[in-house]
Amino acid sequence: MALSGMRGLSVFISDIRNCQNKEQERLRVDKELGNIRTRFKNEKGLTPYEKKKYVWKMLYIYMLGYDVDFGHMEAVSLISAPKYPEKQVGYIVTSSLLNENHDFLRLAINTVRNDIVGRNETFQCLALTLVGNIGGRDFAESLAPDVQKLLISSSCRPLVRKKAALCLLRLFRKNPDVVNVDGWSDRMAQLLDERDLGVLTSSMSLFVALVSNNHESYWSCLPKCVKTLERLARNQDIPQEYTYYGIPSPWLQVKTMRALQYFPTIEDPNTRRSLFEVLQRVLMGTDVVKNVNKNNASHAVLFEALALVMHLDAEKEMMSQCVALLGKFIAVREPNIRYLGLENMTRMLMVTDVQDIIKRHQAQIITSLKDPDISIRRRALDLLYGMCDVSNAKDIVEELLQYLATADFAMREELSLKAAILAEKFAPDLSWYVDVILQLIDKAGDFVSDDIWFRVVQFVTNNEDLQPYAALKAREYLDKPAIHETMVKVSAYLLGEYSHLLARRPGCSPKEIFSIIHEKLPTVSTSTIPILLSTYAKILMHSQPPEPELQNQIWAIFSKYESCIDAEIQQRAVEYFALSRKGAALMDILAEMPKFPERQSSLIKKAEDTEADTAEQSAIKFRAQQQSSNALVVTDQSPANGTPPVSQLSLVKIPSMSSEVRSLSAGLFASCKDHNTSEQGVTQANGTLSVVDPQPSSSSPGLLGDLLAIEGPPGVAVQSEHNLVSGSEGASDAEDALALAPVGEQANTVQPIGDIAERFNALCLKDSGVLYEDPYVQIGIKAEWRVHHGRLVLFLGNKNTAPLVSVQALILPPTHLRLELSLVPDTIPPRAQVQCPLEVVNLRPSRDVAVLDFSYRFGTNVVNVKLRLPAVLNKFLQPIPVSAEEFFPQWRSLSGPPLKLQEVVRGVRPMSLMEMASLFNSFRLMVCPGLDPNANNLVASTTFYSESTRAMLCLVRVETDPADRSQLRMTVASGDPTLTFELKEFIKEQLVSIPTALQPPAPVPTPQAQPTTSPAAVSSDPGAMLAGLL
Amino acid sequence: MHIVVLTLLLLLQIHFVLLISRQGKVRLTKWYSPYSQKERTKVIRELSGLILSLGPKLCNFLLWRGVKVVYKRYASLYFCMCINQDDNELEVLEIVHHFVEILDRYFGSVCELDLIFNFHKVFYLDLLLSRALQGVKSWQAYYILDEILIAGELQESSKKTVARLIAAQDSLVETAKEQASSLSNMIAQATK
């Protein structure tokens, strides 16, 4: 019988292998699954041996990609089988099928614990392996003491102890509190004296995790690490079986060097000297050899040594040695070494001051852009992007442009973006910047996102000196036979605005400009036509008095599009046609576009919208961290003139940023005049909806913001990185990224505890609570609001036993808020909480939200989060009851737009009138029952406070349709047009998507609930069933 | 919406191990980070598509979704391990090789290690491996992996030690089997 069971599996496997296609396979598998299912269900008395057979079959089926959830319980129950063969299968299958979040696993804790504390060594090994591989928090709390005991027990054999070390490592990662620091530092030191290299390797991994969390307690272990390294480097007392291709355990060497990188420095001169001797030996003694494995292993050690050298801030001489070595690597034949050479050079950029030495290898790095391996090309691009500064920007950007023509499609978008950023950031002069962007569009139009051409338009608009040049360039490109649609857009826009500046040049008369642009019209899509229509209107306006022929031509076009099906085109055509009949008055209406006020860059927005975390961090990350040392382009602002201009993107970095901003060079704006003098007046004028700041300087803070925006968001890079991978997935990308979020989070983020958006939404309604929390830090908020003032206190709490360092809080305020954050300390002591008051003044109505850019360093890692601050519009509302006598005269006096706006809102979340009323009340809009005779309507009133509006009464009326709850008509009235608009939009946002915190008891079923409950479908209470089985 | 950037704090070294055949069939998976079933399927689908499409003679690392994948092809089998960006790629690449050598030694004990890059040998290795990984003995690969890695970290770098431990396990199973069959013989005898 025993044999026939295994034969069954063999037969099944060969059946599967003989299946001609997926369909046959599925049928065969379904049959088998049905069989297994009935066995599990019906035959109560399955022996452990029989169970083992089926569980094993299940794992095989699972590997083929089929769902075997129904059998999880059986696999788990097999763990408690008395005999080794069954138990072994139970353990292995459980740890393959389940992850730490499965409920079944929790129920097995006792059995696992019995195996761990029992005397059977083989059972101990199985249990430790399972817990080490899939143990979660529950395991950490209940098993850690037992595992620790095994690890330090003198009676346990190495095979158990090494497993215990790694098992403890996992438990520690799940809950750092399970390892008591005080008690452990001595034991850890003892463990590092271990002679058995298997145990030592595992212990070293454990040690890396412990020091990464808190190095302070483990100083005594540092000399032992150096000793271990010396022992390995000199190959003393290393058993033959622990050398790998002649190298004494390369893995242990790497681990030990990794551990040392968690200590900020090595103070003891003797230890330091010994370590540097070892490092020097590694750096100098590693050659490229023929055997691939030997090569890889020795270079693994070498690269780790490099990282350690960088970390320890060795003398410049040793650093240059490292760079020279890397320079050699990027030219070798072995692709892995080339790749790592480039990657480590990029790493080197941020750690030390060796840029100049790296620049010597620029030519070779540029050659790497043509490497046959795309991964290497990407590293080269990253490195070039990272090493670019004012001195080599021209060379690098031009190389990138050249490369663009031949680059892989997968890389073009990233390449264009990087080229655009570098051009903007390090342009020696603005005309060069314009050249670069136009070339980008010309060479890779499909890969140039709208943001990029919007930026060039902003630049040109805000810099008069640049306008004739840009117009001329645009005109030149139009002569090319086939140009990209983006080029049509940008040149039509530029020529519409500035072609009159070219009037005296040949080929630049209004008529000629018109006809060359109009030639392109048949080739463009509907989204471009409105831009062309505007251009025509502008041309007409600039040629006053108009040539009759040109005028007739343009009018003919307008009237042709008057009946266009596209609403935008139609509206423009109708309006321009009507306007252009007004003759000279056209001049006022269609005057040159005003300068752009600073406003949030669309790139920043994009980044905020992207929920994906970092994908490719390397160069982007380095850039972000590096930025203060770079020549960021901004006009020199003198803070002596009073408060710096409050703009959405002006920086309020505490504590050190302001001085850096001041010291930033004015390179890019060398051609702009009179900035320093015109600074004072800007403060209040910026950024209102209707008033446009006429001063040229307004561009500079915006620019700074945009540069930062381009720098900061890893989201952009995520996208492009992703494109490489999935090529044609297109629209499903975002969804994929979401679905995979846990992967990324596991990989390289500190996972926030709780949903950030949910916390924010909750704080929009109440005045105190937690804004953000992760395993290391908690940010709480307490707020008080009085008229247009607010005082928020940020409570920054360090949850750890180690200090949080490099703490930085940067407020990105929207234009309508004046925010002053008090000093944030650079370090938060262990288990301490610091309070940082933040003063808020509401200047004018706006729905924009302030963002707190918070970062800290923990170990060698930097955590950075961007958090919306709950200083939102409704905080400046004060509910006020209004009687019928007061309401109606007010309502009537505010007769129509722009003070009273009405809109039909569709897609409203279904809710009863009662729910809507309580929603309104929670946002401090007071619902006034009985005012409206129609019971389906709702009237509310409130007072809004801001510096510009003072106290302003706002009235809201909502008319609902009981037959269709998904739409309603809303009317909002106040004495200020901006307020009316903003309030209306604000309420709309609340109605269309209700913050989850507010959700009324589930009128909408949540479909997500289903998959998680599927195991429960097996029986009414899986817990009880499993308990029975165990 | 909000971007939580980076960091490697307290994370596993190796997130998962994946063996796939050139036809895209999964031969072995081991997940050290908690991926849900849906995520696992997605990872396998995406990654196998990606890796199978790569040409030869490229470097053995891929940046993928914010993590790094170290992969290596042995004849018609791809071995992949997923690590963090800051981890030491070459070290992990040699863990892969270490694993392969042990599998090779176990499944095809005739294999000379330094011949591993000899074409025939590789072919042989592959044949043995793919047969072994598809067949009834394939769980051995899991046991072997468990002796090499725990919690995504290297547990044992001595091939000899791993071989010894696996042999000990095998003999335990054998003994149990013998006992069981003698027991069932006895029962059969008794019930005759």
Side-chain angles (χ1 to χ4, degrees):
Chain A
M1 186 191 150
L3 280 170
S4 75
M6 278 320 187
R7 202 179 302 138
L9 179 56
S10 290
V11 168
F12 174 61
I13 289 174
S14 64
D15 279 0
I16 290 292
R17 293 188 63 188
N18 291 334
C19 284
Q20 300 293 321
N21 52 42
K22 195 76 195 162
E23 196 42 43
Q24 280 183 6
E25 183 191 286
R26 175 172 290 280
L27 283 172
R28 182 68 188 86
V29 166
D30 281 345
K31 188 177 149 207
E32 197 62 40
L33 283 176
N35 177 31
I36 298 175
R37 214 180 290 238
T38 23
R39 289 295 174 122
F40 282 165
K41 210 181 275 174
N42 298 338
E43 294 174 32
K44 287 270 184 293
L46 274 186
T47 64
Y49 176 76
E50 287 166 313
K51 233 188 232 176
K52 168 181 141 185
K53 265 173 19 192
Y54 295 119
V55 163
W56 179 249
K57 240 183 221 178
M58 241 168 46
L59 179 59
Y60 186 79
I61 293 172
Y62 170 76
M63 294 261 294
L64 293 171
Y66 297 89
D67 174 32
V68 292
D69 282 2
F70 72 90
H72 285 173
M73 213 157 43
E74 306 290 341
V76 174
S77 71
L78 209 50
I79 290 178
S80 53
K83 289 212 188 86
Y84 182 79
E86 286 79 29
K87 194 184 265 292
Q88 187 192 30
V89 171
Y91 270 115
I92 206 87
V93 176
T94 300
S95 69
S96 298
L97 296 184
L98 271 57
N99 71 33
E100 65 182 59
N101 301 320
H102 276 87
D103 285 341
F104 290 144
L105 204 55
R106 206 167 297 152
L107 296 160
I109 290 186
N110 269 333
T111 320
V112 173
R113 176 157 191 271
N114 287 338
D115 283 340
I116 286 180
V117 298
R119 290 292 161 80
N120 187 326
E121 197 178 52
T122 47
F123 289 6
Q124 282 176 333
C125 288
L126 289 175
L128 289 171
T129 306
L130 175 103
V131 178
N133 286 340
I134 60 167
R137 265 188 97 91
D138 300 326
F139 281 83
E141 274 131 39
S142 47
L143 297 180
D146 298 321
V147 176
Q148 292 180 12
K149 244 180 247 161
L150 290 183
L151 172 57
I152 53 172
S153 153
S154 52
S155 61
C156 276
R157 287 207 295 158
L159 85 150
V160 177
R161 292 178 58 217
K162 66 187 182 187
K163 290 185 168 68
L166 292 178
C167 183
L168 185 59
L169 161 61
R170 176 159 191 124
L171 300 182
F172 172 73
R173 279 166 173 163
K174 293 299 157 192
N175 180 2
D177 293 337
V178 301
V179 175
N180 179 345
V181 174
D182 302 330
W184 258 91
S185 46
D186 290 344
R187 287 177 190 160
M188 197 65 240
Q190 277 169 25
L191 282 173
L192 295 180
D193 284 334
E194 176 67 43
R195 300 312 289 174
D196 182 281
L197 285 185
V199 178
L200 185 57
T201 306
S202 298
S203 302
M204 195 59 84
S205 295
L206 173 63
F207 181 58
V208 169
L210 293 174
V211 283
S212 73
N213 191 41
N214 169 11
H215 65 268
E216 290 290 350
S217 313
Y218 297 98
W219 282 108
S220 61
C221 299
L222 195 149
K224 307 215 176 209
C225 291
V226 176
K227 278 232 168 61
T228 305
L229 271 185
E230 280 186 294
R231 176 182 161 197
L232 289 165
R234 302 216 174 101
N235 201 351
Q236 286 170 338
D237 186 21
I238 307 292
Q240 178 59 31
E241 59 185 292
Y242 282 97
T243 55
Y244 182 82
Y245 289 88
I247 302 159
S249 184
W251 297 289
L252 182 55
Q253 293 196 47
V254 167
K255 273 271 174 285
T256 313
M257 289 183 190
R258 186 51 67 105
L260 289 171
Q261 289 169 56
Y262 286 102
F263 292 95
T265 172
I266 295 174
E267 268 151 22
D268 177 53
N270 288 331
T271 313
R272 195 178 162 93
R273 196 178 329 111
S274 317
L275 178 59
F276 272 101
E277 269 172 33
V278 173
L279 292 175
Q280 188 72 34
R281 186 193 280 244
V282 172
L283 290 185
M284 292 303 106
T286 309
D287 291 320
V288 177
V289 293
K290 260 218 169 112
N291 182 299
V292 183
N293 301 101
K294 183 173 182 152
N295 216 14
N296 286 344
S298 64
H299 283 80
V301 176
L302 174 61
F303 280 112
E304 204 59 46
L306 274 173
L308 184 54
V309 169
M310 284 186 238
H311 172 75
L312 290 175
D313 242 348
E315 305 80 60
K316 182 121 190 192
E317 194 191 338
M318 197 159 181
M319 288 298 197
S320 356
Q321 228 175 43
C322 292
V323 179
L325 210 52
L326 291 175
K328 215 169 73 187
F329 289 162
I330 61 177
V332 300
R333 219 165 50 97
E334 180 66 39
N336 288 338
I337 310 289
R338 283 205 303 276
Y339 178 98
L340 293 172
L342 289 166
E343 187 178 82
N344 279 281
M345 266 200 186
T346 314
R347 240 169 235 177
M348 207 123 193
L349 277 178
M350 71 176 291
V351 183
T352 45
D353 192 24
V354 288
Q355 278 91 337
D356 289 336
I357 320 178
I358 291 179
K359 276 187 204 161
R360 285 183 216 151
H361 300 280
Q362 192 169 312
Q364 180 61 39
I365 300 167
I366 285 170
T367 315
S368 304
L369 271 181
K370 288 148 198 148
D371 198 282
D373 187 340
I374 185 166
S375 297
I376 293 173
R377 294 196 291 274
R378 282 174 180 278
R379 293 286 72 78
L381 174 58
D382 253 12
L383 176 54
L384 285 172
Y385 179 68
M387 66 192 277
C388 189
D389 62 22
V390 187
S391 76
N392 56 8
K394 252 185 150 152
D395 293 341
I396 289 181
V397 171
E398 265 147 37
E399 281 296 340
L400 295 185
L401 281 175
Q402 229 175 56
Y403 173 51
L404 194 55
T406 53
D408 323 55
F409 284 101
M411 272 179 79
R412 287 194 186 178
E413 185 168 347
E414 187 188 352
L415 195 57
S416 325
L417 184 69
K418 286 189 167 157
I421 293 171
L422 293 178
E424 176 170 335
K425 191 163 174 171
F426 300 115
D429 58 80
L430 280 175
S431 53
W432 179 78
Y433 166 72
V434 171
D435 285 348
V436 169
I437 302 297
L438 291 181
Q439 278 187 60
L440 265 182
I441 298 173
D442 186 41
K443 288 188 165 146
D446 282 341
F447 301 92
V448 174
S449 64
D450 281 347
D451 308 304
I452 294 176
W453 82 263
F454 293 169
R455 283 299 289 158
V456 80
V457 164
Q458 279 182 30
F459 260 101
V460 174
T461 308
N462 291 356
N463 292 282
E464 278 161 40
D465 298 353
L466 201 55
Q467 291 161 358
Y469 180 80
L472 187 64
K473 276 280 159 186
R475 173 71 187 77
E476 282 170 12
Y477 273 104
L478 282 178
D479 278 336
K480 287 188 138 196
I483 59 175
H484 192 269
E485 185 159 343
T486 305
M487 186 64 88
V488 176
K489 287 182 187 170
V490 69
S491 35
Y493 186 96
L494 291 175
L495 288 172
E497 291 295 325
Y498 309 115
S499 61
H500 60 283
L501 302 173
L502 306 177
R504 262 165 290 161
R505 291 171 195 262
C508 294
S509 70
K511 212 171 142 188
E512 284 161 309
I513 297 275
F514 165 75
S515 61
I516 195 157
I517 294 175
H518 192 52
E519 264 173 30
K520 314 288 177 198
L521 190 130
T523 66
V524 299
S525 64
T526 31
S527 67
T528 306
I529 295 176
I531 298 176
L532 297 189
L533 294 184
S534 301
T535 303
Y536 301 160
K538 294 258 174 177
I539 291 175
L540 208 54
M541 181 269 292
H542 281 304
S543 58
Q544 291 293 343
E547 288 171 50
E549 192 192 340
L550 179 66
Q551 180 166 310
N552 287 338
Q553 253 177 316
I554 292 177
W555 279 357
I557 295 163
F558 287 158
S559 56
K560 174 181 160 206
Y561 282 106
E562 267 177 0
S563 53
C564 179
I565 194 152
D566 183 285
E568 179 67 29
I569 298 176
Q570 185 189 31
Q571 187 176 1
R572 288 204 196 196
V574 171
E575 288 178 3
Y576 292 150
F577 188 58
L579 287 172
S580 58
R581 288 173 177 276
K582 292 194 183 296
L586 192 62
M587 294 290 267
D588 298 330
I589 301 162
L590 286 180
E592 193 172 300
M593 286 298 275
K595 302 214 181 321
F596 285 86
E598 322 84 278
R599 63 174 180 208
Q600 195 174 21
S601 144
S602 52
L603 283 171
I604 257 197
K605 278 209 177 105
K606 208 193 245 173
E608 282 174 358
D609 291 345
T610 319
E611 200 152 4
D613 55 353
T614 64
E616 178 209 67
Q617 298 142 346
S618 37
I620 298 268
K621 178 179 87 196
F622 299 147
R623 270 261 164 262
Q625 296 187 354
Q626 207 193 353
Q627 71 199 4
S628 53
S629 67
N630 272 327
L632 247 188
V633 228
V634 66
T635 45
D636 199 9
Q637 300 181 353
S638 50
N641 291 346
T643 48
V646 177
S647 79
Q648 192 156 1
L649 288 156
S650 58
L651 288 168
V652 191
K653 185 172 176 180
I654 320 287
S656 61
M657 187 63 188
S658 56
S659 59
E660 282 164 24
V661 171
R662 256 178 280 136
S663 65
L664 295 168
S665 79
L668 182 50
F669 275 84
S671 58
C672 303
K673 288 164 261 167
D674 72 12
H675 285 162
N676 298 336
T677 51
S678 63
E679 210 58 59
Q680 294 102 315
V682 205
T683 314
Q684 297 301 323
N686 284 343
T688 43
L689 279 173
S690 47
V691 183
V692 175
D693 174 21
Q695 311 205 31
S697 58
S698 67
S699 63
S700 51
L703 169 64
L704 173 60
D706 265 296
L707 284 171
L708 292 175
I710 286 179
E711 286 227 343
V716 179
V718 170
Q719 200 57 43
S720 42
E721 182 68 29
H722 187 174
N723 285 347
L724 157 79
V725 174
S726 51
S728 59
E729 272 186 34
S732 66
D733 281 1
E735 189 193 293
D736 283 3
L738 281 182
L740 274 166
V743 181
E745 279 161 16
Q746 274 303 319
N748 49 16
T749 63
V750 162
Q751 225 165 333
I753 299 172
D755 183 333
I756 297 179
E758 223 170 273
R759 289 186 189 279
F760 169 77
N761 289 331
L763 280 168
C764 287
L765 297 182
K766 52 182 192 168
D767 284 331
S768 64
V770 175
L771 179 68
Y772 171 81
E773 182 167 11
D774 65 24
Y776 312 104
V777 72
Q778 186 191 53
I779 306 177
I781 269 197
K782 217 172 149 178
E784 290 175 308
W785 306 95
R786 211 170 50 80
V787 294
H788 61 280
H789 290 279
R791 184 185 161 88
L792 277 106
V793 184
L794 299 177
F795 294 85
L796 309 175
N798 177 359
K799 297 164 70 179
N800 290 280
T801 46
L804 287 183
V805 294
S806 304
V807 177
Q808 286 187 340
L810 184 75
I811 303 274
L812 309 172
T815 45
H816 74 286
L817 293 178
R818 188 157 60 221
L819 294 165
E820 275 178 52
L821 181 61
S822 66
L823 214 65
V824 175
D826 184 58
T827 306
I828 305 179
R831 306 248 180 231
Q833 192 182 54
V834 296
Q835 301 185 8
C836 309
L838 170 65
E839 301 292 341
V840 185
V841 179
N842 188 23
L843 302 175
R844 56 190 156 265
S846 165
R847 284 167 300 128
D848 289 350
V849 180
V851 171
L852 170 68
D853 185 349
F854 181 75
S855 59
Y856 64 88
R857 197 157 61 79
F858 195 85
T860 57
N861 305 295
V862 178
V863 181
N864 176 262
V865 285
K866 294 199 172 52
L867 303 162
R868 288 178 292 171
L869 285 173
V872 286
L873 186 124
N874 63 300
K875 299 285 185 190
F876 303 101
L877 296 177
Q878 198 61 55
I880 180 170
V882 187
S883 65
E885 294 80 1
E886 293 164 283
F887 183 87
F888 288 110
Q890 281 285 343
W891 186 255
R892 271 191 294 271
S893 71
L894 301 165
S895 57
L899 296 180
K900 189 196 244 169
L901 296 172
Q902 189 167 72
E903 186 179 342
V904 174
V905 183
R906 297 204 164 78
V908 176
R909 297 286 303 265
M911 62 180 118
S912 71
L913 216 55
M914 283 290 283
E915 282 159 354
M916 195 182 293
S918 76
L919 176 68
F920 275 25
N921 282 326
S922 70
F923 282 101
R924 307 198 200 186
L925 291 163
M926 181 171 264
V927 176
C928 312
L931 275 188
D932 199 304
N934 186 337
N936 288 316
N937 295 352
L938 199 143
V939 168
S941 59
T942 191
T943 320
F944 176 79
Y945 293 93
S946 75
E947 209 172 61
S948 70
T949 59
R950 295 288 153 189
M952 183 72 74
L953 182 70
C954 310
L955 303 171
V956 182
R957 180 171 186 233
V958 175
E959 297 157 273
T960 65
D961 177 3
D964 182 3
R965 288 254 163 245
S966 73
Q967 60 172 349
L968 51 80
R969 187 163 72 168
M970 178 166 70
T971 317
V972 177
S974 83
D976 179 81
T978 315
L979 174 57
T980 305
F981 176 79
E982 292 291 329
L983 185 62
K984 185 196 70 171
E985 293 301 309
F986 176 78
I987 299 174
K988 202 165 81 188
E989 281 168 10
Q990 310 311 320
L991 289 173
V992 172
S993 128
I994 308 166
T996 40
L998 255 189
Q999 226 158 27
V1004 191
T1006 46
Q1008 297 94 318
Q1010 251 148 12
T1012 51
T1013 55
S1014 61
V1018 179
S1019 87
S1020 54
D1021 183 0
M1025 258 185 96
L1026 187 71
L1029 283 166
L1030 293 172
Chain B
M1 298 234 298
H2 295 283
I3 307 147
V4 181
V5 183
L6 133 106
T7 172
L8 281 168
L9 266 172
L10 303 181
L11 290 170
L12 307 175
Q13 183 183 24
I14 296 169
H15 297 293
F16 58 81
V17 177
L18 180 62
L19 262 70
I20 39 180
S21 73
R22 214 170 45 181
Q23 291 76 35
K25 294 254 192 252
V26 179
R27 297 293 180 222
L28 179 147
T29 57
K30 188 88 189 174
W31 308 86
Y32 298 103
S33 292
Y35 292 78
S36 72
Q37 188 48 51
K38 220 173 131 193
E39 291 155 5
R40 291 181 182 187
T41 316
K42 204 166 207 126
V43 166
I44 292 173
R45 200 185 57 221
E46 261 190 44
L47 210 53
S48 52
L50 180 61
I51 286 175
L52 294 177
S53 68
L54 292 170
K57 288 191 183 162
L58 301 180
C59 67
N60 297 100
F61 325 124
L62 276 178
L63 268 182
W64 175 77
R65 292 198 178 283
V67 290
K68 210 168 246 168
V69 176
V70 174
Y71 73 96
K72 185 152 182 176
R73 181 175 156 183
Y74 289 88
S76 77
L77 268 183
Y78 288 86
F79 287 69
C80 318
M81 290 192 184
C82 171
I83 55 174
N84 296 311
Q85 290 212 352
D86 290 22
D87 283 333
N88 190 315
E89 304 83 350
L90 288 174
E91 177 206 11
V92 175
L93 187 59
E94 289 317 291
I95 292 182
V96 169
H97 188 74
H98 179 57
F99 180 37
V100 171
E101 285 185 342
I102 293 172
L103 285 177
D104 176 51
R105 195 180 268 198
Y106 182 82
F107 288 118
S109 43
V110 283
C111 217
E112 284 292 329
L113 295 183
D114 34 336
L115 283 177
I116 204 145
F117 287 99
N118 172 303
F119 176 76
H120 299 94
K121 201 81 252 176
V122 172
F123 180 72
Y124 187 51
L125 161 81
D126 171 56
L127 204 69
L128 281 168
L129 264 186
S130 48
R131 203 173 280 161
L133 291 177
Q134 286 175 66
V136 288
K137 267 191 121 186
S138 59
W139 67 78
Q140 295 297 354
Y142 283 92
Y143 297 140
I144 292 171
L145 186 58
D146 273 354
E147 289 300 331
I148 297 173
L149 295 177
I150 288 186
E153 302 275 354
L154 182 69
Q155 180 195 175
E156 184 53 75
S157 57
S158 154
K159 286 183 263 293
K160 215 161 108 188
T161 308
V162 175
R164 210 177 55 228
L165 293 173
I166 294 292
Q169 284 181 18
D170 282 355
S171 77
L172 267 177
V173 176
E174 267 326 299
T175 321
K177 226 185 240 169
E178 278 162 22
Q179 279 171 0
S181 65
S182 69
L183 197 69
S184 64
N185 282 344
M186 277 160 66
I187 295 170
Q189 294 273 318
T191 51
K192 219 173 233 178

